[in-house]
Amino acid sequence: MARDKGRDNPAREKRQRKLRREVYVFTEGAVTEPGFVTFVTENGERRTPDREIVCKVENRSAPTKRRKPLPLVEDAVAKWQEVRRVAKQAGIKPRDWNWPQVWCLFDRDQHEDIPAAFAKARREELHVAYSHPCFELWRLLHYQNYTSTFGGVCDSAANRLKQQPGFAQTYGPTVRSVSAEQAKHVMSGQLSGRYKTARRYAEGLVDQHTGRADQNSWDPYTDVWRFVEDGLDVSDY
């Protein structure tokens, strides 16, 4: 019997096809978080580079009222129901590496619906990356450890971030200060080569709040690294 040629053997082609995981992200911020996602997907060192990650920020055009934690989770649930149905039809199982993921990235800020958002995400098996008081804390940890409370005030974290040595110069070699709006844009010089340090600092903050059920009291807190590693399959950048 003649041997099958790889190109003409559908079964072999299926085995050799690169595994592909689809990741859908819903972000509270319209600028910073999407910029961070783009940076990581373009610059991150993959743990399994022979497998493909396709990541999409799903709510780029969402209005502000749909970017608050609970509405954001509600929209993510609708997307999750859709992609889960498609995955099942394709024969993908929850235990498979390429089972799709839907992530919600939101902050404490001054939102009152944080516990409800967490509860709904948990019921629907959505992934959450949470920062208290805001995503700027995760960026700040790329420069320094910070364990004191911000009192839930995001501007305090954002201002401390802007004061970091060399931060302004990531927007241009002659730049000495940046506005709040300009600072929303994530520059590669703020992140590259700093991931493992930020992760270590963030893990320390998470450990401080282990066993505390009220997410409103987790100040400061960020577990963005879980999205980086579990969602995007990135181990460093």
Side-chain angles (χ1 to χ4, degrees):
M1 181 177 178
R3 294 175 59 190
D4 291 323
K5 295 181 180 179
R7 186 182 295 261
D8 301 326
N9 186 344
R12 181 173 177 179
E13 287 184 2
K14 185 175 181 179
R15 289 195 303 271
Q16 293 179 339
R17 191 178 303 146
K18 196 172 188 179
L19 279 179
R20 165 177 165 159
R21 178 198 294 165
E22 295 179 350
V23 178
Y24 299 88
V25 188
F26 288 75
T27 67
E28 179 180 344
V31 177
T32 304
E33 290 91 328
F36 174 76
V37 172
T38 297
F39 169 82
V40 177
T41 54
E42 292 181 352
N43 298 277
E45 294 181 12
R46 293 282 314 285
R47 290 187 292 189
T48 53
D50 59 324
R51 298 180 176 183
E52 184 180 4
I53 294 284
V54 178
C55 180
K56 179 183 179 184
V57 177
E58 189 68 18
N59 66 331
R60 286 184 182 273
S61 59
T64 301
K65 65 181 181 180
R66 299 304 301 176
R67 290 182 175 276
K68 296 180 180 180
L70 187 54
L72 184 151
V73 169
E74 291 170 346
D75 292 343
V77 168
K79 185 64 180 182
W80 176 227
Q81 291 172 344
E82 172 193 334
V83 300
R84 184 171 51 191
R85 182 173 60 254
V86 172
K88 288 181 177 178
Q89 291 172 347
I92 304 173
K93 297 178 176 58
R95 65 176 180 272
D96 293 338
W97 184 91
N98 54 332
W99 181 248
Q101 295 185 10
V102 176
W103 282 81
C104 300
L105 275 59
F106 58 80
D107 305 336
R108 169 65 178 96
D109 286 330
Q110 300 300 314
H111 301 302
E112 301 298 328
D113 56 1
I114 295 296
F118 264 95
K120 189 171 187 64
R122 190 177 298 113
R123 286 195 304 270
E124 300 292 342
E125 299 181 335
L126 296 176
H127 300 274
V128 172
Y130 175 60
S131 298
H132 190 319
C134 55
F135 192 84
E136 277 63 34
L137 171 62
W138 170 246
R139 298 171 68 191
L140 175 63
L141 295 181
H142 288 70
Y143 287 89
Q144 68 163 98
N145 195 11
Y146 191 89
T147 59
S148 301
T149 178
F150 285 104
V153 180
C154 182
D155 286 350
S156 296
N159 289 336
R160 183 171 288 272
L161 173 65
K162 290 191 296 180
Q163 294 168 5
Q164 294 304 304
F167 179 83
Q169 287 69 50
T170 63
Y171 296 89
T174 62
V175 176
R176 293 293 175 263
S177 64
V178 294
S179 67
E181 285 301 312
Q182 189 176 9
K184 290 181 180 180
H185 295 271
V186 176
M187 310 301 288
S188 62
Q190 301 163 10
L191 305 174
S192 296
R194 304 172 187 257
Y195 173 71
K196 291 184 178 179
T197 296
R199 186 191 195 282
R200 185 174 71 254
Y201 291 156
E203 283 186 298
L205 298 182
V206 171
D207 289 342
Q208 290 181 8
H209 304 292
T210 299
R212 300 174 66 184
D214 181 10
Q215 297 89 3
N216 287 330
S217 67
W218 298 354
D219 181 12
Y221 178 100
T222 183
D223 58 2
V224 172
W225 88 85
R226 290 174 173 154
F227 166 66
V228 172
E229 298 187 10
D230 298 341
L232 301 183
D233 192 53
V234 165
S235 60
D236 200 2
Y237 52 63

